[in-house]
Amino acid sequence: MEEQKITKIPFGQLGVIVHKSCKELGQKVDDYIVNRRREEFSDRCSEYHLDEIKDSYIIDSDIIRFANGEAKAHLKESIRGKDIFILADIGNYNVKYNMFGIENRMSPDDHFQDVKRLISAIAGKARRIHIIMPLLYESRQDKRNTRESLDCAMALQELEKLGVENIFTFDAHETRVQNAIPQTGFESLHSTYQIIKAMNGLDEEVCFGNEQMMVISPDTGAMDRAIYYASVLGLDVGLFYKRRDYKKIVDGRNPIIQHEYMGAEVAGKDILIVDDMIASGGSVFDIAKELKQKNARNIYVAVSFTFFTNGIEKMDEYYEKGYISKLFSTNLTYIPEKFKQAEWFEEVDMSKLISLLIDTVNYDDSISPLLDATNKIKNIFGK
């Protein structure tokens, strides 16, 4: 079963604060919660349950920006005693504000500062505060190599000190960053089930048989994810590892010299490349081209977050050349309209899972069934 029945009383009256970076996703989440609770309580007429049926659980709020760039959060209704969930997309680069007459795009730093402003506006009046940050702030800087900052750990500790009880994210780049806040709830959920479900329902030519498909990890960091996909689908797994030039630094990283492949023969097989995100897309392009040279058939890419920081022109080119057949990516972070309209792009909606997460936590049920999608994936194929 994908959903659990509501069997307990809530920890507190539900309130969802949706930051302007996450309006579209937040509205979908709210709609799911409203419809589910109406169905659950339709045959119960107690005064308590009637109080739980609302047209919306979104708290009216705003971030007011001053002309010099400073800002403040404003909550336009009472949150006293409520179980508050703050939903924010720190990766949304399409949110803008005026500063000294100049239009600026909000950075992840700006979004995270707004989250702290919203917590400050709550002023300790809420019963609990939970943060749902699908793209974890500063998750790419999760460990120290030399004299470097530990931004993600510091951010998590800031939220802990502000009284946040639980932090929820998706496909965290490195889950061990939760060691920075051992007394605060931290969970990284996965989009595996939703992506496989989207692949299975989209194209009849996609065959998940062991003789027809295999899973590829684009680097050693994504190997655990690739092994999970391969295990639950009963497929072989392969690995590319990156040879880097450690004498140079380009855009904050050591440039990749070459991708080396280790694994079974890919000739004649469909390939599923899985990773947590696509940044510029350079690694995926190189790997897809090399797999095609090894006579792979169709190449599918499945990620939780898609950025294409250098634009999508090369992705368009690789689609036209047949190097990449389809890219599956979630709506957990901002997706430009030109991505959505591209023939190679398939959006995977995650709003239902987020709504289930909010309902489950609000009713103090276990979220373990939401963390492990193995049985649900097997049910897709009748295994």
Side-chain angles (χ1 to χ4, degrees):
M1 294 293 290
E2 188 170 342
E3 302 182 31
Q4 298 182 70
K5 294 291 184 181
I6 296 173
T7 57
K8 300 181 179 180
I9 62 172
F11 185 86
Q13 196 176 50
L14 176 61
V16 181
I17 298 177
V18 178
H19 185 251
K20 56 186 176 183
S21 62
C22 218
K23 280 188 176 180
E24 184 178 346
L25 179 62
Q27 188 58 60
K28 289 182 178 181
V29 170
D30 185 54
D31 290 342
Y32 272 119
I33 295 173
V34 169
N35 292 333
R36 186 181 303 112
R37 293 197 173 190
R38 282 179 177 168
E39 291 176 4
E40 287 288 319
F41 300 138
S42 60
D43 58 345
R44 311 177 196 178
C45 56
S46 69
E47 182 179 346
Y48 168 76
H49 284 135
L50 287 176
D51 187 51
E52 284 302 299
I53 302 176
K54 295 185 176 182
D55 294 330
S56 176
Y57 295 91
I58 295 178
I59 302 293
D60 193 7
S61 63
D62 192 18
I63 301 292
I64 300 168
R65 185 73 59 171
F66 299 105
N68 69 337
E70 295 180 3
K72 66 178 180 181
H74 179 210
L75 301 179
K76 301 178 182 180
E77 58 184 276
S78 174
I79 45 80
R80 186 177 297 275
K82 291 186 177 181
D83 202 14
I84 297 294
F85 294 78
I86 300 176
L87 181 60
D89 173 18
I90 60 95
N92 190 339
Y93 55 90
N94 196 47
V95 182
K96 304 171 184 177
Y97 67 93
N98 285 314
M99 178 177 173
F100 291 98
I102 300 172
E103 189 175 63
N104 293 323
R105 289 181 182 269
M106 290 188 68
S107 69
D109 292 343
D110 293 321
H111 290 308
F112 185 68
Q113 195 66 27
D114 279 357
V115 170
K116 293 191 291 183
R117 289 185 177 109
L118 290 167
I119 297 172
S120 176
I122 292 172
K125 302 300 188 294
R127 202 166 184 188
R128 287 190 308 192
I129 301 175
H130 316 270
I131 302 294
I132 301 179
M133 196 181 296
L135 177 60
L136 185 61
Y137 175 68
E138 290 291 353
S139 58
R140 301 184 72 181
Q141 181 50 27
D142 51 37
K143 59 185 177 182
R144 176 178 287 151
N145 293 318
T146 56
R147 295 182 182 90
E148 297 176 339
S149 58
L150 287 171
D151 298 60
C152 189
M154 291 175 62
L156 294 177
Q157 289 177 352
E158 279 189 273
L159 295 177
E160 181 181 53
K161 291 174 182 176
L162 288 169
V164 173
E165 187 154 330
N166 291 295
I167 299 169
F168 300 102
T169 189
F170 284 80
D171 287 309
H173 200 63
E174 175 54 78
T175 55
R176 284 179 293 185
V177 75
Q178 66 186 295
N179 294 338
I181 49 169
Q183 300 302 312
T184 299
F186 180 95
E187 296 291 350
S188 177
L189 289 84
H190 302 284
S191 55
T192 313
Y193 167 67
Q194 285 77 13
I195 288 175
I196 292 176
K197 185 178 179 182
M199 289 187 67
N200 188 58
L202 177 71
D203 192 344
E204 293 182 356
E205 294 182 3
V206 177
C207 182
F208 291 96
N210 186 47
E211 299 297 322
Q212 291 81 27
M213 177 178 281
M214 67 180 297
V215 180
I216 296 291
S217 172
D219 53 39
T220 54
M223 194 59 187
D224 286 346
R225 182 178 291 102
I227 290 173
Y228 178 76
Y229 270 90
S231 299
V232 77
L233 293 172
L235 306 178
D236 289 332
V237 63
L239 164 69
F240 279 89
Y241 68 92
K242 301 173 182 176
R243 289 176 53 200
R244 294 183 178 273
D245 184 355
Y246 289 98
K247 296 178 181 179
K248 299 179 182 178
I249 297 179
V250 179
D251 294 331
R253 306 182 71 180
N254 301 107
I256 299 170
I257 300 173
Q258 188 175 353
H259 290 88
E260 300 284 355
Y261 176 69
M262 295 188 299
E265 180 65 44
V266 302
K269 288 188 176 182
D270 289 343
I271 303 296
L272 175 59
I273 301 174
V274 297
D275 206 350
D276 59 338
M277 67 173 64
I278 289 179
S280 65
S283 294
V284 170
F285 295 143
D286 292 343
I287 291 170
K289 189 173 184 178
E290 187 162 339
L291 288 169
K292 274 296 183 180
Q293 291 173 350
K294 294 179 183 294
N295 297 318
R297 193 166 53 187
N298 298 310
I299 297 176
Y300 304 98
V301 181
V303 295
S304 295
F305 308 103
T306 298
F307 303 134
F308 284 122
T309 54
N310 296 332
I312 62 172
E313 290 75 14
K314 195 166 185 178
M315 181 65 198
D316 289 334
E317 176 191 342
Y318 271 51
Y319 174 74
E320 292 296 331
K321 290 181 176 179
Y323 292 162
I324 299 177
S325 299
K326 188 74 73 173
L327 168 64
F328 294 85
S329 184
T330 72
N331 61 343
L332 291 171
T333 192
Y334 169 68
I335 302 174
E337 197 59 37
K338 61 181 179 180
F339 286 22
K340 297 180 180 180
Q341 294 176 357
E343 293 182 6
W344 45 261
F345 186 82
E346 185 66 26
E347 181 179 342
V348 179
D349 185 19
M350 300 295 293
S351 56
K352 187 173 185 178
L353 178 58
I354 296 176
S355 71
L356 286 168
L357 173 66
I358 291 174
D359 255 344
T360 302
V361 175
N362 181 226
Y363 281 88
D364 265 345
D365 275 328
S366 171
I367 67 169
S368 294
L370 302 179
L371 299 176
D372 185 5
T374 303
N375 290 330
K376 291 188 289 186
I377 294 172
K378 289 181 177 180
N379 287 337
I380 293 177
F381 305 101
K383 296 181 182 179

